[in-house]
Amino acid sequence: MGRRTILIALVVVLLVLWSSEGLQHRVGDSIWSIPPTNNFYKNWSSSYIFHTGDTLYFDFDSGLYNVLQVSRGEFDMCTGYEPYKTFIDGPATIPLLMKGVFYYVCNVSNYCALGLKLWVIVEQT
Ligand SMILES: *[C@@H]1O[C@H](CO)[C@@H](O)[C@H](O)[C@H]1NC(C)=O
Ligand SMILES: *[C@@H]1O[C@H](CO)[C@@H](O)[C@H](O)[C@H]1NC(C)=O
């Protein structure tokens, strides 16, 4: 095998690795905190397309905020009694593994009611 063949093979491998790498979305393009308007996170998530393999990056300080993955019902009610997953330590990097709709709230104080909640539609890559 010539040097050139090896180089081409290497480039192909790198391209494949790169294209299968998901995107990281910094939630709200900002820190995860009480937003300026109630529909801020709704607006944010509708501005992007999320795919399996991507990650959500919730940028917050532990203790001040948290992220709970909850059901649609708890999302609507802004509660976190039976979370599917709890992320106490910030910042939290959450992989989007499956196609579907996923709901997240912060259950510190009344922050969720103030708009600190997010839902995303994840499409198959
Ligand atoms: C909606 O989201 C887009 C993309 O993040 C942003 O540029 C725009 O300022 C947002 N609008 C509001 C009202 O938050
Ligand atoms: C937030 O959710 C966690 C996990 O379910 C729970 O232990 C905690 O009591 C909740 N806090 C509030 C203020 O509801």
Side-chain angles (χ1 to χ4, degrees):
M1 245 195 323
R3 230 192 201 158
R4 191 150 149 215
T5 318
I6 294 174
L7 204 68
I8 290 170
L10 196 69
V11 168
V12 168
V13 166
L14 284 177
L15 277 177
V16 168
L17 282 177
W18 176 76
S19 63
S20 62
E21 184 91 350
L23 293 177
Q24 183 177 86
H25 305 274
R26 187 174 186 226
V27 174
D29 295 321
S30 178
I31 59 165
W32 174 245
S33 58
I34 298 166
T37 58
N38 205 278
N39 65 356
F40 176 86
Y41 286 106
K42 184 166 194 255
N43 172 59
W44 179 80
S45 70
S46 63
S47 307
Y48 292 94
I49 296 175
F50 304 90
H51 290 105
T52 52
D54 291 357
T55 51
L56 293 177
Y57 178 76
F58 290 84
D59 194 1
F60 65 94
D61 288 331
S62 311
L64 298 181
Y65 305 95
N66 62 22
V67 182
L68 271 54
Q69 190 198 329
V70 295
S71 65
R72 162 107 203 240
E74 290 223 86
F75 177 86
D76 288 341
M77 301 293 289
C78 265
T79 59
Y81 298 130
E82 293 179 335
Y84 300 142
K85 290 198 179 111
T86 304
F87 304 89
I88 297 295
D89 297 323
T93 304
I94 304 180
L96 300 171
L97 302 174
M98 289 185 306
K99 178 179 188 289
V101 187
F102 300 92
Y103 300 89
Y104 304 92
V105 298
C106 169
N107 81 336
V108 174
S109 185
N110 65 337
Y111 298 171
C112 176
L114 296 173
L116 197 51
K117 62 197 301 201
L118 172 80
W119 63 275
V120 294
I121 300 170
V122 179
E123 296 177 2
Q124 191 68 46
T125 307

